[in-house]
Amino acid sequence: MNREEIERKVTAIVAQLLGQPDVERSARLLGPQGVLDSVTVVRLIAWLEQEFQATFDEEDLMIESLSSVDHIVRFIEESVSLRRGANSG
């Protein structure tokens, strides 16, 4: 799965959670100007884990990791890359 596909899926997930037709990649999701509440963040994490077979460890659950679609995409890319490396060795 390439970055564009990951970005498209993450954007669609976030938009659906927010009940909006679309969401900007740079929109603040968490933090002082964030649009997600704590319950929605838990739903987002569960959905991302299921969709991308990614695991969010405690150290991953920082505001910065989930603060925007761009940051989530970067995290997913790193997670997939690490998983590939672990499976090939």
Side-chain angles (χ1 to χ4, degrees), residues 21-84:
D22 198 19
V23 65
E24 291 291 322
R25 292 187 343 241
S26 61
R28 289 298 286 177
L29 303 177
L30 297 176
Q33 292 90 23
V35 294
L36 299 178
D37 61 27
S38 58
V39 172
T40 309
V41 170
V42 172
R43 291 177 58 210
L44 172 63
I45 291 167
W47 200 338
L48 292 171
E49 286 183 334
Q50 180 180 354
E51 182 69 35
F52 297 102
Q53 290 80 45
T55 301
F56 287 84
D57 294 325
E58 222 174 283
E59 60 269 8
D60 299 324
L61 296 177
M62 297 189 306
I63 288 177
E64 193 59 29
S65 300
L66 302 170
S67 63
S68 70
V69 169
D70 283 334
H71 285 114
I72 293 169
V73 169
R74 194 171 309 132
F75 171 79
I76 298 294
E77 283 181 315
E78 290 170 8
S79 176
V80 167
S81 176
L82 290 173
R83 203 170 54 239
R84 278 190 202 132

